[in-house]
Amino acid sequence: MEISIHNDQDADNAPSDDEALLDPSDAAEIVPDDPDHPMDLDDEDEQADGQEEEIQLQNDSIAYFDLHSDSIFCIANHPTDSMIIATGGGDDITYVFSADVPSPLLPPSYESNPSITRSSLQPIAKLQGHTDSVNAMTYTLGNGSYLLTGGLDGQVRVHCAITTGTAQPYSLLTSAQEVPEINFLAPCPHPSHSNTFALGANDGSVWIYNIESQDKETHLQVVQAYYLHTESCTAGSWASDGKLLATVSEDGSFYVWDPFGEAAAAGITSSSSGQAVVGLTAADQRFAVEDGLFSVAVSPTGAFAAVGGAHGMIRIVGIPRLNTNSSTSATQSLKGGGAKNKAGGKKQATTSADAASSGSQTGQILASLQMQSESIETLAFSPHHSLLAAGSVDGSIVIFDSAHRFAVRRHVKEAHDGFAVVKVAFGGPNDEREAWFLTSCGMDGVVRRWDCRGGGAASGGAEAAAVGGRQTQQGLVKEWRGHRGEGEGGGVLGFVLTDGGKVVTAGDDGVSLVFT
């Protein structure tokens, strides 16, 4: 076969026939015509085939709520009726709905004639008024009288969750706007201050408010306002008795506040600050975490707090205990069976010798931990056992044992397949066994439950064995799928656990799913 090479030059300059011929030895391969071979596949057809496979999602939910038109950034449930769910999203709207739907006898995959279509749950209330995304919300504790919503517009809005007479359900009681953006809202568990809550803002300020529904002049009263953080206040956590509030900031600072003056009345004051009973900043090289702190949790005993920050760093800090009925110090709870704890896979956790010898641990750094490589986004203490769970942006979860000098009980490196872990929470719906359970969610779009006793399928029983695969030996007992996830804008940004054993999610895909 001869191949002609055409040239657009003038015919007078055209090469000879011999020069125009391609030497057969220069041809790498001659492919014969195949009449049965189709034309090259169209790229769009290939992509369409790939998309068809991608949308075959597993959906383990029993119900869903999809009226949000943007990501759901926050979720909360009522303290006395945990099936009442509130969600806030990027559409600037808050919805309230009930997750009290019957659980199926069998999962959808076992149904002989599964329903193809399901209707969305219907809202109890639709709350508007924010001018930017709703990214924080909570009910007040006690009888759950109020639903609080906070937004990137800096507003905090208070809605009456319990109404009487002719008042409309979830009617607006009051609102305030003192800050540019709200990062978190935290209800106070103090039995004498059930309508009190804390607010952390992107300007570093911390506000304590009390709701006074009977005060016609101002329903929202400022109890305290603190300004020691110099950058965004990223997280806050009350002590279990509600007497102290711990907060952290992107500037690497950690403060414990005494909003009701009970620490001062007990003679506990800070030598470094007149406003906080404990204050640590990045200026202290023992405490410093480069690039800031993003999570905080206070132990159930109130003896110490855990703060999590960039590069997988965790600091354990002693805080004052104001309840006189229990005198056990944080250092006593740190003493155990001599189990070794590795930090960053190389160093052991360090504890405060001063605290161990004197018994006065307030403000002391009791341990420095580093088992994960990226930011610690979520921390949770078990309310029943001496366990601390840490979830990281690197997709891993680490369980520490505070009774054994924070020894590592388990390190699940691929807890969410390399996608960020957004939230961890201890607790199960029913028996004592489930007090060992940890629930987690991540940007992979999956919710998982772990048995922290260890042993995987052996400890989780038949349910664990049914999960199968690589993670059962690390304590995985169950997982729920249904959100898009895996970098496709469908991660799980939060969840709540209900008394009836359900898990209700806040999805980056704008959907809330109900799992059982």
Side-chain angles (χ1 to χ4, degrees):
M1 180 174 65
E2 296 182 354
I3 302 176
S4 298
I5 304 297
H6 294 86
N7 196 313
D8 292 334
Q9 294 182 1
D10 187 87
D12 293 339
N13 298 326
S16 65
D17 291 342
D18 291 340
E19 293 175 340
L21 295 178
L22 176 67
D23 191 301
S25 63
D26 294 336
E29 181 182 6
I30 299 176
V31 180
D33 293 336
D34 183 357
D36 296 327
H37 192 279
M39 298 291 288
D40 291 340
L41 288 175
D42 187 271
D43 291 340
E44 294 181 357
D45 292 339
E46 289 183 343
Q47 294 175 1
D49 292 341
Q51 291 174 354
E52 185 175 352
E53 293 180 1
E54 289 176 3
I55 63 175
Q56 304 301 318
L57 296 177
Q58 175 182 341
N59 191 345
D60 301 318
S61 67
I62 62 170
Y64 69 93
F65 182 84
D66 68 348
L67 296 191
H68 283 285
S69 60
D70 206 332
S71 299
I72 301 176
F73 291 133
C74 50
I75 186 168
N77 56 345
H78 197 277
T80 63
D81 185 353
S82 62
M83 292 294 186
I84 300 299
I85 309 296
T87 56
D91 53 6
D92 313 343
I93 297 174
T94 297
Y95 285 103
V96 182
F97 63 92
S98 174
D100 190 10
V101 293
S103 300
L105 297 177
L106 292 172
S109 58
Y110 282 78
E111 295 179 8
S112 59
N113 185 23
S115 175
I116 298 177
T117 60
R118 294 182 295 176
S119 299
S120 171
L121 298 173
Q122 294 304 302
I124 296 172
K126 178 181 179 180
L127 311 179
Q128 297 175 288
H130 284 284
T131 59
D132 206 338
S133 299
V134 180
N135 67 321
M137 67 169 41
T138 186
Y139 283 92
T140 54
L141 298 182
N143 61 357
S145 298
Y146 305 102
L147 172 64
L148 317 171
T149 61
L152 295 181
D153 57 1
Q155 282 193 82
V156 56
R157 298 174 67 82
V158 181
H159 302 268
C160 297
I162 297 177
T163 57
T164 57
T166 60
Q168 294 295 319
Y170 288 92
S171 58
L172 180 69
L173 175 67
T174 188
S175 65
Q177 186 174 4
E178 306 284 355
V179 298
E181 297 178 4
I182 293 175
N183 288 337
F184 70 84
L185 296 170
C188 179
H190 197 300
S192 300
H193 303 281
S194 60
N195 291 334
T196 299
F197 66 94
L199 176 158
N202 72 326
D203 61 0
S205 62
V206 178
W207 299 72
I208 313 294
Y209 287 99
N210 189 57
I211 303 168
E212 294 286 352
S213 60
Q214 303 303 318
D215 190 330
K216 296 182 179 180
E217 294 293 327
T218 172
H219 294 301
L220 202 56
Q221 299 178 350
V222 177
V223 178
Q224 298 286 351
Y226 304 110
Y227 304 95
L228 292 184
H229 293 301
T230 59
E231 295 182 31
S232 181
C233 181
T234 51
S237 175
W238 289 93
S240 59
D241 57 11
K243 296 177 181 179
L244 300 175
L245 172 71
T247 60
V248 294
S249 169
E250 286 183 357
D251 65 5
S253 62
F254 164 70
Y255 292 105
V256 177
W257 315 101
D258 178 27
F260 309 117
E262 296 193 30
I268 301 173
T269 58
S270 171
S271 59
S272 60
S273 168
Q275 296 186 56
V277 294
V278 174
L280 292 170
T281 70
D284 185 339
Q285 292 301 309
R286 300 170 302 163
F287 179 77
V289 174
E290 186 177 357
D291 298 325
L293 300 173
F294 307 108
S295 53
V296 60
V298 178
S299 69
T301 63
F304 49 85
V307 299
H311 315 296
M313 302 297 293
I314 299 174
R315 301 285 187 262
I316 309 297
V317 182
I319 64 176
R321 299 180 64 180
L322 303 184
N323 52 328
T324 57
N325 294 329
S326 177
S327 59
T328 303
S329 71
T331 52
Q332 288 175 312
S333 67
L334 289 171
K335 295 177 181 179
K340 293 182 179 179
N341 177 35
K342 295 181 179 179
K346 298 179 181 180
K347 300 179 181 179
Q348 289 187 354
T350 58
T351 58
S352 171
D354 291 339
S357 61
S358 69
S360 176
Q361 79 284 355
T362 297
Q364 299 292 321
I365 302 171
L366 306 178
S368 296
L369 313 169
Q370 187 182 21
M371 288 296 298
Q372 292 148 294
S373 60
E374 297 187 46
S375 300
I376 305 298
E377 291 295 305
T378 174
L379 291 165
F381 281 99
S382 168
H384 305 293
H385 305 288
S386 58
L387 301 179
L388 167 66
S392 171
V393 171
D394 67 11
S396 70
I397 295 174
V398 176
I399 309 296
F400 300 96
D401 190 342
S402 65
H404 294 81
R405 305 179 69 87
F406 289 92
V408 176
R409 196 175 189 123
R410 179 176 295 122
H411 186 183
V412 188
K413 294 183 179 180
E414 295 294 328
H416 283 273
D417 298 324
F419 291 89
V421 180
V422 179
K423 179 179 178 179
V424 293
F426 279 97
N430 299 313
D431 56 29
E432 181 179 351
R433 177 179 70 102
E434 295 182 349
W436 290 97
F437 283 177
L438 176 76
T439 305
S440 66
C441 69
M443 293 308 294
D444 59 347
V446 184
V447 179
R448 292 187 169 94
R449 181 160 288 167
W450 313 87
D451 190 333
C452 297
R453 293 175 298 179
S459 62
E463 189 175 38
V467 176
R470 57 182 172 77
Q471 290 178 322
T472 52
Q473 297 306 311
Q474 300 183 57
L476 178 66
V477 296
K478 194 168 185 179
E479 65 178 26
W480 296 274
R481 296 177 180 269
H483 291 283
R484 191 181 307 122
E486 298 189 358
E488 298 295 329
V492 182
L493 302 182
F495 63 85
V496 292
L497 306 175
T498 74
D499 293 336
K502 293 183 173 65
V503 180
V504 188
T505 62
D508 195 20
D509 51 11
V511 179
S512 177
L513 297 180
V514 181
F515 297 110
T516 188

